[in-house]
Amino acid sequence: LIREVKGIVALDSRGNPTVKAIVKTNKGIGVGIAPSGASKSSKEAIELRDGGKKWVGMGVNLAVSKLNEEVSQRLINQDSRQQYLIDSLLIALDGTKNKSSLGGNTTTAVSIAVSKAAANTANLELYEYLGGPSARILPTPILNIINGGVHAGNNLAFQEFILIPTGARTFIDAMRMSIEVYKNLKGVISEKYGKTSTNVGDEGGYAPPLNESREAFSLIETAIKKSGYELGTDFHLGMDAASSEFYNKDKKVYKVDGKEFTSSELIDFYESLINEFSIIYLEDPFDEDDFDSFSEITKKLGNKLLIVGDDLYATNVNYLMTGIKKKATNGALVKVNQIGTLTETFDYIRLAKESGIIPVISHRSGDTEDPFIADLAVAVGSGIIKTGAPARSERVSKYNRLIEIENQLGPNAIYLGKEPFVRL
Ligand code: PGA
Ligand code: ZN
């Protein structure tokens, strides 16, 4: 039974305060820390922030005090193994549609901490506790190694240029190969743009002063070759356009690389990039409300690559239902703090899987040392994890946990490489 629920302030990778929950049972303890996005969907659970001058308005004192009072009182003496019940209590206590009363940051931290306390009490690894004995698929990492959009101080409209180690045989091999390319990419950028261009963005990828998306992909291609690998066999590429950030709702156009595109022109542009750079992953190609354009691109290109809804769905089963009806995507991003509890996240993953949609477990651009999503990815057998460049501790904590899990599983571990992208 839960004996103590405590909230304190922690810091995320951008230096913003966030909520940390510590849950103790008679025999175990669990800690959860809420991450935080920058290119957020308007459909997400609301983060409770204090406003005002302190912490530049980003304080979470109210969230933490709600955790220490209302939430703590409600959860004491509950069974930590009853995740569904506990999440239901959180949802009822909050009483809003978007967690705006307790804050999605509060409920996320608590929900995660409860699951870890239960696993710890049962003396199980978290992925075993959440996924059972069949949990043994290590996800293929998709690594954001050039940052643009709102994650970087450059002119790239697209937010993420992603490296995918499809040719690796094991998770550790995938990391080694990707790091070789990441390191060589630094040299390639430095040679062409000078060493001041090798600084990194919010997710640890380089943020060179580029104006054209094609140039970003081409730099990565050069780095792949320089590392002795081949694009299209050892590696494939991906991108998160995060296009709500550069959509002009009044004019109904997308501004990319200094030009304006209608939806159908943008499909053609995506298609040319996809063919030129062996792209097998495309996230948020259109505005978060434009289901119809998603359906169009999925109809046209969905047999070639994974088209993933992030801001489109916001880890919410209701939006995913619409996407399923409209055949909008064949992939769905999963971010626990977009919806605010684990139970709702599992419902979303289940619905995706039942509908033949690949769930992709994801970090946030503001993240922490909490490796929770590594265990989550293995537990649900997602097959894909998105957690940034292989640098910066808030990214690397997830990779390190996956390396550890691969070691624990030994010969039972499975790495699927390209398969999750073509299981369409
Ligand atoms: P965010 O970005 O965490 O800033 O929302 C990540 C993403 O768009 O996938
Ligand atoms: Zn995204």
Side-chain angles (χ1 to χ4, degrees):
L1 296 187
I2 293 174
R3 291 296 176 214
E4 191 184 328
V5 179
K6 193 173 152 61
I8 60 171
V9 172
L11 303 176
D12 76 15
S13 55
R14 278 191 281 251
N16 287 323
T18 186
V19 181
K20 181 179 199 168
I22 303 158
V23 171
K24 288 183 185 165
T25 65
N26 291 327
K27 286 189 303 186
I29 180 169
V31 178
I33 314 178
S36 175
S39 65
K40 282 189 245 173
S41 169
S42 62
K43 306 167 188 173
E44 293 190 22
I46 300 293
E47 285 177 345
L48 206 54
R49 300 278 183 191
D50 299 335
K53 268 199 166 166
K54 286 184 183 167
W55 300 101
V56 206
M58 299 296 276
V60 291
N61 286 349
L62 181 58
V64 167
S65 65
K66 287 194 176 199
L67 203 170
N68 282 321
E69 288 154 29
E70 295 167 56
V71 174
S72 170
Q73 265 174 25
R74 197 75 192 80
L75 298 192
I76 299 277
N77 291 330
Q78 298 293 337
D79 185 343
S80 64
R81 292 169 299 185
Q82 303 281 336
Q83 187 78 43
Y84 171 80
L85 179 68
I86 286 170
D87 288 339
S88 303
L89 291 173
L90 289 172
I91 291 165
L93 195 58
D94 173 78
T96 69
K97 274 203 155 152
N98 55 6
K99 314 281 190 303
S100 55
S101 166
L102 289 178
N105 39 359
T106 312
T107 58
T108 297
V110 172
S111 192
I112 289 175
V114 166
S115 74
K116 290 193 195 177
N120 185 241
T121 305
N123 211 7
L124 288 170
E125 293 291 335
L126 185 57
Y127 64 91
E128 289 177 312
Y129 169 72
L130 292 174
S134 63
R136 57 199 189 99
I137 296 174
L138 270 295
T140 301
I142 63 170
L143 303 99
N144 175 12
I145 58 172
I146 291 186
N147 293 184
V150 297
H151 294 166
N154 57 21
N155 294 324
L156 290 169
F158 297 152
Q159 182 177 280
E160 305 176 12
F161 297 84
I162 294 174
L163 181 70
I164 311 178
T166 38
R169 297 288 178 83
T170 60
F171 184 78
I172 186 71
D173 236 27
M175 292 313 298
R176 175 185 56 75
M177 290 167 60
S178 302
I179 285 165
E180 289 164 13
V181 174
Y182 179 72
K183 296 281 174 193
N184 276 314
L185 179 58
K186 185 172 185 175
V188 170
I189 293 172
S190 181
E191 230 167 78
K192 199 154 179 195
Y193 300 97
K195 69 176 178 173
T196 54
S197 300
T198 59
N199 299 320
V200 300
D202 282 0
E203 296 188 350
Y206 303 110
L210 307 178
N211 297 311
E212 296 231 347
S213 346
R214 188 168 257 110
E215 179 69 7
F217 286 120
S218 154
L219 289 168
I220 298 175
E221 184 177 18
T222 307
I224 289 171
K225 282 190 192 136
K226 208 173 158 187
S227 311
Y229 297 115
E230 205 179 77
L231 180 60
T233 52
D234 302 311
F235 287 96
H236 288 76
L237 301 186
M239 63 183 284
D240 180 2
S243 58
S244 299
E245 300 292 329
F246 54 84
Y247 181 57
N248 184 326
K249 268 193 159 48
D250 300 326
K251 289 170 80 181
K252 292 198 165 54
V253 292
Y254 294 87
K255 195 151 187 221
V256 183
D257 300 354
K259 292 188 280 280
E260 290 186 341
F261 292 81
T262 63
S263 308
S264 71
E265 287 166 351
L266 196 55
I267 291 184
D268 293 341
F269 183 50
Y270 286 134
E271 192 174 12
S272 69
L273 290 173
I274 287 161
N275 292 332
E276 190 174 345
F277 295 106
S278 302
I279 290 172
I280 57 168
Y281 180 96
L282 175 58
E283 182 178 325
D284 279 353
F286 297 103
D287 180 66
E288 65 189 39
D289 294 322
D290 190 358
F291 278 90
D292 292 338
S293 294
F294 271 88
S295 305
E296 226 169 283
I297 195 168
T298 297
K299 192 171 172 201
K300 190 157 187 215
L301 303 172
N303 59 344
K304 277 191 171 177
L305 79 164
L306 211 56
I307 296 177
V308 178
D310 169 14
D311 293 355
L312 182 73
Y313 298 140
T315 316
N316 184 319
V317 287
N318 297 320
Y319 296 112
L320 182 56
M321 278 301 212
T322 306
I324 291 165
K325 274 192 213 119
K326 290 177 171 271
K327 294 190 170 49
T329 69
N330 50 22
L333 213 69
V334 179
K335 292 166 167 169
V336 180
N337 80 322
Q338 280 182 327
I339 190 70
T341 67
L342 280 188
T343 299
E344 290 165 289
T345 304
F346 284 125
D347 287 347
Y348 176 84
I349 294 170
R350 195 174 315 115
L351 177 62
K353 284 187 154 185
E354 283 167 7
S355 316
I357 289 175
I358 306 284
V360 177
I361 306 299
S362 172
H363 65 163
R364 297 308 302 249
S365 55
D367 215 290
T368 73
E369 67 273 23
D370 189 347
F372 177 77
I373 59 164
D375 287 79
L376 177 63
V378 176
V380 303
S382 72
I384 307 176
I385 192 168
K386 182 171 104 149
T387 189
R392 308 287 141 191
S393 292
E394 77 279 7
R395 314 296 150 196
V396 165
S397 71
K398 283 70 166 170
Y399 293 129
N400 282 342
R401 175 62 179 152
L402 288 165
I403 292 170
E404 189 175 68
I405 295 174
E406 185 171 61
N407 268 277
Q408 286 176 2
L409 291 171
N412 291 324
I414 298 171
Y415 179 80
L416 295 173
K418 194 179 175 197
E419 206 188 302
F421 301 86
V422 291
R423 234 200 279 154
L424 303 173

